[in-house]
Amino acid sequence: MGTFIGHVCPGLLLVLHGLYQAIVVSRAVIFNDSLLYPLWSPKNKGRWARLWKLSSEGLLKIMAGSLLVIYEISCTHGALKLMNRELPPRFLYPKEWQHLTMFTLLILNGCVDVMSKNMLPQRCVALEKGALVLSFYELLLLMVSHVKESSGIELQVHYLLILVVFLLLLVLTVELWAPEMFQLWMMETLLILIMGSWLIQAGFILYRPVSGYPWDDDDMNDLMFVTTFFCWHVMCDALCLFGIYGFSYFWHRCYYSSLKMMGSKKAPYHKSTPEPLYRLLQEIEQPEKEDQAPLLAKSSPRDKA
């Protein structure tokens, strides 16, 4: 992961996941739907319906984690060994093993999602949330240890990333007791977007600066602008989340209003048949007049008296 691709690819995956979750959460908020058990489902049945029921998020986690593990191993110079054969033995590739541990956590978390949604007789949300929180606790510990040898610009970049991971860990921990709270899901989505976009920015800062010149660790202006860029990422990601919610609101409102208009136009109606209805009313009124005629005849002499 200590390369440009190693930062950009995980960041891009997080951004895509954040955008997808932003759309899902926006739709649930607009329609007051459940976030964990949405009402909408595929209309068709059969094989496609079975594929729809699969945990797509869990499968994507497994695939992404596996690809990142393969990439990390391929980028290692020489054979990836845990210890050397010298006396006393020393550990080798500490950062690479930390990266592999992070990616393994992603794979295991995907396995838990698939098992909970597709293998257990009933979905266990507490198991999914608990596994996710445990993964982020371990991720935070690994990242704190990961920056021990860093300094200057690299240290500042990773400190800001650790801050995002810590805030996301707090939100996920609270979700264990309030898994259906929309505000927590919005905060989680925003932090995922910030984490992903900042990982991409870290790849450009550390490995491919836009100016073509490396950042200076001893320049205070460069250190200050790292934090400034991070604040810009927070604002842009918040505006992006707000834009997705606004677009979803207006799109669903216009789309469903047009569907209602089309439904009202296509609604079946009964054609008026005045002649048979008029004849039927005449047939009903005739017996009533015949019953009323003797009553009028009996009551007429009394009325005259």
Side-chain angles (χ1 to χ4, degrees):
M1 192 176 175
T3 59
F4 175 75
I5 300 297
H7 283 76
V8 171
C9 286
L12 186 60
L13 290 173
L14 286 171
V15 169
L16 293 176
H17 174 66
L19 293 175
Y20 169 75
Q21 185 165 313
I23 296 172
V24 173
V25 174
S26 299
R27 187 188 184 282
V29 172
I30 292 169
F31 292 100
N32 197 18
D33 196 3
S34 174
L35 289 165
L36 300 174
Y37 304 96
L39 296 176
W40 57 277
S41 59
K43 295 180 180 180
N44 56 349
K45 297 180 180 180
R47 295 180 179 180
W48 293 108
R50 293 177 182 177
L51 290 175
W52 182 269
K53 292 179 181 179
L54 289 176
S55 177
S56 57
E57 185 177 349
L59 294 175
L60 288 175
K61 288 179 181 179
I62 295 173
M63 292 176 58
S66 302
L67 291 175
L68 290 172
V69 167
I70 295 172
Y71 177 77
E72 185 68 30
I73 295 174
S74 64
C75 291
T76 304
H77 299 288
L80 185 63
K81 298 179 180 179
L82 183 62
M83 301 179 69
N84 58 15
R85 296 182 179 180
E86 298 178 359
L87 294 176
R90 300 292 181 183
F91 288 106
L92 301 174
Y93 305 106
K95 289 191 175 183
E96 285 75 7
W97 282 108
Q98 286 186 341
H99 295 156
L100 289 175
T101 306
M102 296 177 189
F103 302 149
T104 305
L105 289 173
L106 180 62
I107 296 173
L108 293 176
N109 187 251
C111 293
V112 171
D113 289 345
V114 173
M115 181 181 66
S116 174
K117 294 179 182 179
N118 302 118
M119 296 182 181
L120 295 180
Q122 186 177 2
R123 181 183 177 185
C124 184
V125 178
L127 177 63
E128 299 174 23
K129 292 292 183 180
L132 185 61
V133 171
L134 181 61
S135 300
F136 269 89
Y137 269 107
E138 296 186 14
L139 176 63
L140 182 62
L141 292 175
L142 291 171
M143 292 192 66
V144 171
S145 174
H146 198 66
V147 298
K148 293 295 184 180
E149 298 180 358
S150 303
S151 62
I153 298 294
E154 184 179 359
L155 182 62
Q156 184 73 5
V157 168
H158 283 88
Y159 269 163
L160 294 172
L161 185 61
I162 289 172
L163 175 63
V164 178
V165 174
F166 175 72
L167 294 176
L168 184 57
L169 177 59
L170 291 180
V171 173
L172 293 174
T173 304
V174 178
E175 281 186 7
L176 288 173
W177 288 271
E180 290 276 6
M181 194 171 180
F182 291 117
Q183 293 84 350
L184 293 176
W185 279 81
M186 283 290 187
M187 294 172 62
E188 177 190 345
T189 305
L190 176 60
L191 291 171
I192 290 174
L193 287 173
I194 296 172
M195 185 178 175
S197 63
W198 187 243
L199 264 176
I200 297 174
Q201 182 68 60
F204 282 98
I205 291 175
L206 299 176
Y207 301 100
R208 291 187 184 178
V210 178
S211 63
Y213 297 94
W215 290 57
D216 190 1
D217 294 337
D218 299 326
D219 191 352
M220 187 56 63
N221 293 330
D222 287 356
L223 289 172
M224 293 176 66
F225 262 97
V226 169
T227 308
T228 304
F229 285 159
F230 177 78
C231 294
W232 290 355
H233 275 269
V234 174
M235 291 187 293
C236 292
D237 291 330
L239 289 174
C240 179
L241 182 60
F242 179 75
I244 290 174
Y245 176 78
F247 177 78
S248 301
Y249 176 79
F250 286 109
W251 187 83
H252 285 295
R253 186 175 181 180
C254 297
Y255 178 72
Y256 280 96
S257 61
S258 62
L259 282 182
K260 289 181 181 179
M261 293 281 291
M262 293 175 62
S264 61
K265 290 180 180 179
K266 294 181 180 180
Y269 61 92
H270 298 282
K271 294 182 180 180
S272 60
T273 55
E275 293 183 358
L277 182 60
Y278 179 72
R279 292 177 183 177
L280 182 62
L281 289 174
Q282 283 184 339
E283 293 176 0
I284 294 174
E285 288 177 358
Q286 285 179 358
E288 291 180 356
K289 289 181 179 179
E290 292 175 359
D291 294 339
Q292 290 178 0
L295 294 175
L296 292 173
K298 291 180 180 180
S299 61
S300 59
R302 295 179 182 176
D303 295 335
K304 291 177 181 180

